[in-house]
Amino acid sequence: MKEYKVLGEKDTRSGFGEGLLEAGRENKNVVALCADLTPSVRMDLFQKEFPERFVEVGIAESNMISIASGMAIAGKVPFVGSFAAFSTGRTYDQIRQSVAYSDTNVKIAGSHAGITLGEDGATHQILEDLGLMKMLPNMVVINPCDHTQAKQATIASARYNGPVYIRYGRPKVPVFLTEDTPFEIGKALILNEGKDVTIVATGHLVWPALQAAEELEKEGISAEVINIHTIKPLDNEAILTSVKKTGCVVACEEHMYNGGLADSIAQLLVRNSPAPMEYIGIDDQFGESGKPMELMAKYGLDKEHIIAASKKVISRK
């Protein structure tokens, strides 16, 4: 199995902040708008260096989307930032009409997403944002796995012409990819090759998937691990090629079963090459207040549950 070293622990929201700053230096048309959460969503780096290109909208998320859409029509590349619960849920009508339907070049950043938001509890732990954004025509949906990939994804989004939603998290998680790791929107990363089971993971579940593969190897089970950083457009070829080889798949995400990555994979397999499949995700329920990693374990989003799901799906072949 390919070995990945932990290079440190950083939050993916900080990768976004660094990527946004880099994108701003690269393109003078990149602008940023925030809804009264500038330090929390790490837009302060951009604000400090480019104050004339930064707009503090205040607690007016829907208005922020409308302003950004107008700026995009005028030739700017606007990034809007807030907690994912607000930047997608509170603003869905404006995103649907003024961004997706109008196909404007707006980049929507959703920080503090998922159960790992922790103590803030269910009202802020959005678990349906990927589905909300995925269902909108024209929308690209990205969910990076670590700090490095978050930075890469942000820079790539600035270069991409069209609507993009990028999801980030608050907790510090292992950094295991390097600046040399390739990143291309819509192109999956095969992190480990295997022949017995395909483990497809996104976001914070990629590192536990690699840990699970390492444990499975000790038991003689060869797991292929695929990092799906782009939920839409999905890398259909990478998934179908892998599942054709292994004969089964486990999909891992910090998101509802409904509407997330697993749903996309299930649809892909049903239409092309049906195979046994197991889900690692949230089963139709809200989150709760607690420590991030304790919540991940309670809701079955850890390596132990990925190992169990892998063994179960192999037995169904």
Side-chain angles (χ1 to χ4, degrees), residues 149 177 181-192 198-201 224-231 233-240 242 261 265:
Q149 195 167 76
L177 299 181
T181 304
F183 182 91
E184 181 181 344
I185 292 175
K187 187 68 174 176
L189 288 177
I190 310 297
L191 298 181
N192 190 64
T198 298
I199 302 176
V200 180
E224 184 144 293
V225 180
I226 304 179
N227 173 0
I228 298 288
H229 50 71
T230 307
I231 307 295
L234 192 65
D235 191 340
N236 296 342
E237 182 180 357
I239 295 168
L240 290 172
S242 179
L261 172 63
I265 295 172

Side-chain angles (χ1 to χ4, degrees), residues 47 54 73 78 101 105 211 253-254 289 303 309:
Q47 179 191 33
F54 179 82
I73 292 170
Y101 176 70
N105 194 26
Q211 291 180 303
E253 59 191 319
E254 188 187 348
S289 181
K303 73 172 182 179

Side-chain angles (χ1 to χ4, degrees), residues 205 208 212 250 252 278-281 295-312:
L205 268 293
V250 177
C252 311
E278 291 291 331
Y279 286 22
I280 295 291
L295 290 172
M296 291 286 274
K298 177 176 180 178
Y299 286 84
L301 310 180
D302 57 14
K303 73 172 182 179
E304 286 75 19
H305 285 84
I306 298 173
I307 291 169
S310 298
K311 293 177 179 179
K312 181 179 179 181

Side-chain angles (χ1 to χ4, degrees), residues 7-38:
L7 306 173
E9 289 196 343
K10 295 182 179 180
D11 47 324
T12 53
R13 60 175 171 161
S14 291
F16 162 70
E18 292 175 22
L20 178 60
L21 178 61
E22 193 68 33
R25 289 169 175 169
E26 182 179 293
N27 183 354
K28 65 180 181 181
N29 285 319
V30 170
V31 296
L33 303 87
C34 193
D36 200 36
L37 289 165
T38 303

Side-chain angles (χ1 to χ4, degrees), residues 240-302:
L240 290 172
T241 299
S242 179
V243 176
K244 183 177 181 181
K245 176 175 59 172
T246 65
C248 60
V249 60
V250 177
C252 311
E253 59 191 319
E254 188 187 348
H255 190 271
M256 293 282 191
Y257 287 174
N258 295 328
L261 172 63
D263 261 8
S264 291
I265 295 172
Q267 290 181 44
L268 176 66
L269 295 179
V270 164
R271 291 173 175 171
N272 294 275
S273 182
M277 180 174 173
E278 291 291 331
Y279 286 22
I280 295 291
I282 305 292
D283 188 8
D284 195 31
Q285 58 188 307
F286 291 105
E288 61 184 287
S289 181
K291 299 293 183 184
M293 293 307 114
E294 291 177 2
L295 290 172
M296 291 286 274
K298 177 176 180 178
Y299 286 84
L301 310 180
D302 57 14

